[in-house]
Amino acid sequence: MANNFGKLRDLVHSLEADFEKFYDKSNSAAGTRVRKGMQELKNMAQEIRAEVQNTKNSATDKAAAPAAKAAPAKKAAAAPAAKKAAPAKKK
């Protein structure tokens, strides 16, 4: 993941000169390069988001697997208690 951050940082830094040329000197060719770089940035961000989500989900799945085995026993014990806790209807 640190490698992805380095690539992201390098891309942003590589666009700095074109941003200055476009906004300060009104260089339209630099604007085209900025737009292209921003599209690359968007795609890279999406890839990183997916990677983070997959890593997060795989860590959650590993942690949830042992708990899932214990969960059905708890649910069976909780069901009768839930029926007793319901308030009685008034006549």
Side-chain angles (χ1 to χ4, degrees):
M1 187 65 175
N3 188 30
N4 284 339
F5 182 73
K7 289 179 184 178
L8 192 66
R9 183 179 52 224
D10 291 344
L11 177 58
V12 170
H13 286 298
S14 73
L15 295 173
E16 185 175 8
D18 287 326
F19 266 96
E20 289 174 1
K21 288 177 186 177
F22 178 71
Y23 284 108
D24 296 341
K25 300 176 184 176
S26 300
N27 182 327
S28 63
T32 301
R33 291 189 297 270
V34 167
R35 288 179 52 239
K36 180 182 177 190
M38 294 305 293
Q39 184 64 39
E40 289 176 30
L41 183 65
K42 176 185 169 189
N43 292 338
M44 190 180 296
Q46 187 61 38
E47 289 173 12
I48 293 171
R49 284 186 78 244
E51 181 181 321
V52 168
Q53 188 65 41
N54 290 338
T55 302
K56 181 180 157 188
N57 287 345
S58 67
T60 303
D61 291 344
K62 289 177 185 177
K69 293 178 183 176
K74 290 180 182 178
K75 287 181 183 176
K83 290 181 183 177
K84 291 179 184 176
K89 293 183 179 179
K90 293 184 180 180
K91 291 185 181 180

